[in-house]
Short mmCIF file of all heavy atoms in Angstrom, two decimals:
data_model
loop_
_atom_site.label_atom_id
_atom_site.label_comp_id
_atom_site.label_asym_id
_atom_site.label_seq_id
_atom_site.Cartn_x
_atom_site.Cartn_y
_atom_site.Cartn_z
N THR A 1384 23.82 -12.19 -57.79
CA THR A 1384 23.22 -12.25 -56.48
C THR A 1384 23.93 -13.33 -55.68
O THR A 1384 24.03 -14.46 -56.15
CB THR A 1384 21.72 -12.60 -56.59
OG1 THR A 1384 21.10 -11.63 -57.42
CG2 THR A 1384 21.07 -12.60 -55.24
N PRO A 1385 24.44 -13.00 -54.48
CA PRO A 1385 25.07 -14.03 -53.68
C PRO A 1385 24.06 -15.09 -53.26
O PRO A 1385 22.86 -14.81 -53.22
CB PRO A 1385 25.62 -13.27 -52.49
CG PRO A 1385 24.84 -12.01 -52.43
CD PRO A 1385 24.40 -11.71 -53.83
N PRO A 1386 24.50 -16.30 -52.95
CA PRO A 1386 23.56 -17.35 -52.54
C PRO A 1386 22.77 -16.92 -51.32
O PRO A 1386 23.25 -16.18 -50.47
CB PRO A 1386 24.47 -18.53 -52.20
CG PRO A 1386 25.76 -18.26 -52.87
CD PRO A 1386 25.88 -16.77 -52.97
N ALA A 1387 21.53 -17.38 -51.26
CA ALA A 1387 20.69 -17.11 -50.11
C ALA A 1387 21.05 -18.07 -48.99
O ALA A 1387 21.49 -19.18 -49.23
CB ALA A 1387 19.22 -17.29 -50.49
N SER A 1388 20.87 -17.64 -47.77
CA SER A 1388 21.06 -18.52 -46.63
C SER A 1388 19.70 -19.08 -46.24
O SER A 1388 18.73 -18.35 -46.15
CB SER A 1388 21.64 -17.76 -45.44
OG SER A 1388 22.93 -17.32 -45.74
N GLY A 1389 19.63 -20.38 -46.04
CA GLY A 1389 18.38 -20.99 -45.64
C GLY A 1389 17.93 -22.06 -46.61
O GLY A 1389 18.74 -22.65 -47.32
N PHE A 1390 16.61 -22.28 -46.64
CA PHE A 1390 16.03 -23.36 -47.41
C PHE A 1390 14.94 -22.85 -48.34
O PHE A 1390 14.14 -22.01 -47.96
CB PHE A 1390 15.42 -24.41 -46.48
CG PHE A 1390 16.40 -24.95 -45.49
CD1 PHE A 1390 16.51 -24.41 -44.22
CD2 PHE A 1390 17.24 -26.00 -45.84
CE1 PHE A 1390 17.43 -24.91 -43.31
CE2 PHE A 1390 18.15 -26.50 -44.93
CZ PHE A 1390 18.25 -25.96 -43.66
N LEU A 1391 14.91 -23.37 -49.55
CA LEU A 1391 13.85 -23.09 -50.52
C LEU A 1391 13.21 -24.43 -50.85
O LEU A 1391 13.88 -25.35 -51.31
CB LEU A 1391 14.42 -22.46 -51.79
CG LEU A 1391 13.45 -22.28 -52.95
CD1 LEU A 1391 12.33 -21.29 -52.58
CD2 LEU A 1391 14.19 -21.79 -54.19
N THR A 1392 11.90 -24.54 -50.58
CA THR A 1392 11.19 -25.77 -50.85
C THR A 1392 10.23 -25.55 -52.00
O THR A 1392 9.43 -24.61 -51.99
CB THR A 1392 10.40 -26.24 -49.61
OG1 THR A 1392 11.33 -26.42 -48.53
CG2 THR A 1392 9.68 -27.54 -49.87
N THR A 1397 13.70 -29.77 -51.38
CA THR A 1397 14.24 -28.65 -50.59
C THR A 1397 15.67 -28.38 -51.02
O THR A 1397 16.48 -29.30 -51.11
CB THR A 1397 14.18 -28.97 -49.09
OG1 THR A 1397 12.82 -29.18 -48.72
CG2 THR A 1397 14.74 -27.81 -48.27
N TYR A 1398 15.98 -27.11 -51.30
CA TYR A 1398 17.32 -26.68 -51.71
C TYR A 1398 17.95 -25.92 -50.55
O TYR A 1398 17.30 -25.07 -49.93
CB TYR A 1398 17.25 -25.78 -52.94
CG TYR A 1398 16.59 -26.44 -54.12
CD1 TYR A 1398 15.23 -26.25 -54.39
CD2 TYR A 1398 17.32 -27.27 -54.96
CE1 TYR A 1398 14.62 -26.86 -55.47
CE2 TYR A 1398 16.71 -27.89 -56.06
CZ TYR A 1398 15.37 -27.67 -56.30
OH TYR A 1398 14.77 -28.29 -57.37
N ILE A 1399 19.23 -26.21 -50.25
CA ILE A 1399 19.95 -25.55 -49.17
C ILE A 1399 20.80 -24.44 -49.76
O ILE A 1399 21.52 -24.65 -50.73
CB ILE A 1399 20.84 -26.56 -48.41
CG1 ILE A 1399 19.98 -27.68 -47.85
CG2 ILE A 1399 21.64 -25.87 -47.31
CD1 ILE A 1399 20.77 -28.84 -47.29
N ASP A 1400 20.72 -23.23 -49.17
CA ASP A 1400 21.46 -22.06 -49.64
C ASP A 1400 21.32 -21.88 -51.15
O ASP A 1400 22.30 -21.92 -51.90
CB ASP A 1400 22.93 -22.13 -49.25
CG ASP A 1400 23.14 -22.13 -47.74
OD1 ASP A 1400 22.24 -21.65 -47.02
OD2 ASP A 1400 24.19 -22.61 -47.29
N PRO A 1401 20.09 -21.71 -51.65
CA PRO A 1401 19.85 -21.67 -53.09
C PRO A 1401 20.41 -20.42 -53.77
O PRO A 1401 20.58 -19.38 -53.14
CB PRO A 1401 18.33 -21.70 -53.20
CG PRO A 1401 17.87 -21.05 -51.94
CD PRO A 1401 18.86 -21.46 -50.89
N ASN A 1402 20.64 -20.56 -55.07
CA ASN A 1402 21.10 -19.45 -55.90
C ASN A 1402 20.71 -19.75 -57.34
O ASN A 1402 20.93 -20.86 -57.82
CB ASN A 1402 22.62 -19.29 -55.79
CG ASN A 1402 23.12 -18.09 -56.54
OD1 ASN A 1402 22.41 -17.12 -56.74
ND2 ASN A 1402 24.37 -18.13 -56.96
N GLY A 1403 20.07 -18.82 -58.04
CA GLY A 1403 19.71 -19.03 -59.44
C GLY A 1403 18.27 -19.46 -59.62
O GLY A 1403 17.39 -19.08 -58.86
N TYR A 1405 15.26 -22.51 -60.28
CA TYR A 1405 14.89 -23.88 -59.96
C TYR A 1405 13.55 -24.18 -60.62
O TYR A 1405 12.63 -23.37 -60.55
CB TYR A 1405 14.80 -24.09 -58.44
CG TYR A 1405 16.13 -23.86 -57.77
CD1 TYR A 1405 16.50 -22.59 -57.33
CD2 TYR A 1405 17.04 -24.89 -57.65
CE1 TYR A 1405 17.73 -22.37 -56.76
CE2 TYR A 1405 18.28 -24.68 -57.07
CZ TYR A 1405 18.63 -23.42 -56.62
OH TYR A 1405 19.85 -23.20 -56.07
N ILE A 1419 7.89 -22.68 -50.62
CA ILE A 1419 8.15 -22.11 -49.30
C ILE A 1419 9.52 -21.44 -49.33
O ILE A 1419 10.52 -22.06 -49.66
CB ILE A 1419 8.14 -23.20 -48.21
CG1 ILE A 1419 6.80 -23.93 -48.20
CG2 ILE A 1419 8.41 -22.58 -46.84
CD1 ILE A 1419 6.78 -25.14 -47.28
N ASN A 1420 9.56 -20.16 -48.97
CA ASN A 1420 10.79 -19.40 -48.97
C ASN A 1420 11.28 -19.22 -47.53
O ASN A 1420 10.89 -18.28 -46.85
CB ASN A 1420 10.57 -18.03 -49.62
CG ASN A 1420 11.83 -17.20 -49.64
OD1 ASN A 1420 12.92 -17.71 -49.44
ND2 ASN A 1420 11.69 -15.91 -49.88
N ASP A 1421 12.12 -20.12 -47.07
CA ASP A 1421 12.74 -20.00 -45.75
C ASP A 1421 14.18 -19.54 -45.90
O ASP A 1421 15.10 -20.07 -45.28
CB ASP A 1421 12.68 -21.34 -45.00
CG ASP A 1421 11.30 -21.65 -44.47
OD1 ASP A 1421 10.58 -20.69 -44.15
OD2 ASP A 1421 10.94 -22.83 -44.41
N THR A 1422 14.40 -18.53 -46.77
CA THR A 1422 15.73 -17.97 -47.00
C THR A 1422 15.74 -16.52 -46.53
O THR A 1422 14.73 -15.98 -46.10
CB THR A 1422 16.12 -18.00 -48.49
OG1 THR A 1422 15.33 -17.04 -49.20
CG2 THR A 1422 15.93 -19.38 -49.09
N ASP A 1423 16.89 -15.88 -46.69
CA ASP A 1423 17.02 -14.46 -46.35
C ASP A 1423 16.90 -13.58 -47.60
O ASP A 1423 17.19 -12.39 -47.53
CB ASP A 1423 18.33 -14.19 -45.63
CG ASP A 1423 19.56 -14.57 -46.46
OD1 ASP A 1423 19.40 -15.24 -47.51
OD2 ASP A 1423 20.67 -14.22 -46.05
N HIS A 1424 16.49 -14.13 -48.75
CA HIS A 1424 16.31 -13.39 -50.00
C HIS A 1424 14.85 -13.47 -50.45
O HIS A 1424 14.14 -14.40 -50.09
CB HIS A 1424 17.16 -14.01 -51.12
CG HIS A 1424 18.61 -13.72 -51.04
ND1 HIS A 1424 19.36 -13.91 -49.90
CD2 HIS A 1424 19.48 -13.29 -51.98
CE1 HIS A 1424 20.63 -13.58 -50.15
NE2 HIS A 1424 20.72 -13.20 -51.41
N TYR A 1425 14.45 -12.51 -51.25
CA TYR A 1425 13.16 -12.62 -51.94
C TYR A 1425 13.31 -13.65 -53.03
O TYR A 1425 14.39 -13.82 -53.59
CB TYR A 1425 12.76 -11.28 -52.56
CG TYR A 1425 12.18 -10.31 -51.57
CD1 TYR A 1425 12.99 -9.59 -50.72
CD2 TYR A 1425 10.81 -10.13 -51.49
CE1 TYR A 1425 12.47 -8.71 -49.80
CE2 TYR A 1425 10.27 -9.24 -50.58
CZ TYR A 1425 11.10 -8.53 -49.73
OH TYR A 1425 10.57 -7.66 -48.83
N VAL A 1426 12.22 -14.36 -53.35
CA VAL A 1426 12.21 -15.28 -54.49
C VAL A 1426 11.03 -14.93 -55.37
O VAL A 1426 10.03 -14.38 -54.91
CB VAL A 1426 12.16 -16.77 -54.07
CG1 VAL A 1426 13.36 -17.15 -53.23
CG2 VAL A 1426 10.88 -17.11 -53.38
N LEU A 1450 7.79 -13.77 -53.34
CA LEU A 1450 7.68 -14.21 -51.95
C LEU A 1450 8.79 -13.60 -51.12
O LEU A 1450 9.98 -13.75 -51.45
CB LEU A 1450 7.78 -15.73 -51.84
CG LEU A 1450 6.65 -16.56 -52.43
CD1 LEU A 1450 6.96 -18.04 -52.30
CD2 LEU A 1450 5.35 -16.23 -51.73
N ALA A 1451 8.41 -12.91 -50.06
CA ALA A 1451 9.38 -12.35 -49.12
C ALA A 1451 9.97 -13.49 -48.29
O ALA A 1451 9.42 -14.59 -48.24
CB ALA A 1451 8.70 -11.34 -48.22
N PRO A 1452 11.09 -13.24 -47.62
CA PRO A 1452 11.63 -14.26 -46.72
C PRO A 1452 10.56 -14.71 -45.72
O PRO A 1452 9.86 -13.90 -45.13
CB PRO A 1452 12.78 -13.53 -46.02
CG PRO A 1452 13.22 -12.51 -47.03
CD PRO A 1452 11.95 -12.06 -47.69
N GLY A 1453 10.43 -16.02 -45.58
CA GLY A 1453 9.41 -16.59 -44.69
C GLY A 1453 8.06 -16.81 -45.36
O GLY A 1453 7.16 -17.36 -44.77
N GLY A 1454 7.91 -16.38 -46.63
CA GLY A 1454 6.65 -16.50 -47.34
C GLY A 1454 6.43 -17.89 -47.93
O GLY A 1454 7.36 -18.67 -48.10
N VAL A 1466 15.84 -17.08 -57.31
CA VAL A 1466 16.26 -16.51 -56.04
C VAL A 1466 16.85 -15.14 -56.30
O VAL A 1466 17.67 -14.96 -57.18
CB VAL A 1466 17.31 -17.42 -55.36
CG1 VAL A 1466 17.79 -16.81 -54.05
CG2 VAL A 1466 16.72 -18.80 -55.13
N GLY A 1467 16.42 -14.13 -55.57
CA GLY A 1467 16.95 -12.78 -55.69
C GLY A 1467 15.98 -11.84 -56.38
O GLY A 1467 14.86 -12.20 -56.71
#
Side-chain angles (χ1 to χ4, degrees):
T1384 304
S1388 294
F1390 304 94
L1391 173 64
T1392 302
T1397 299
Y1398 302 95
I1399 301 170
D1400 297 337
N1402 185 26
Y1405 298 89
I1419 303 172
N1420 180 15
D1421 285 329
T1422 71
D1423 60 349
H1424 284 51
Y1425 281 79
V1426 300
L1450 293 177
V1466 178

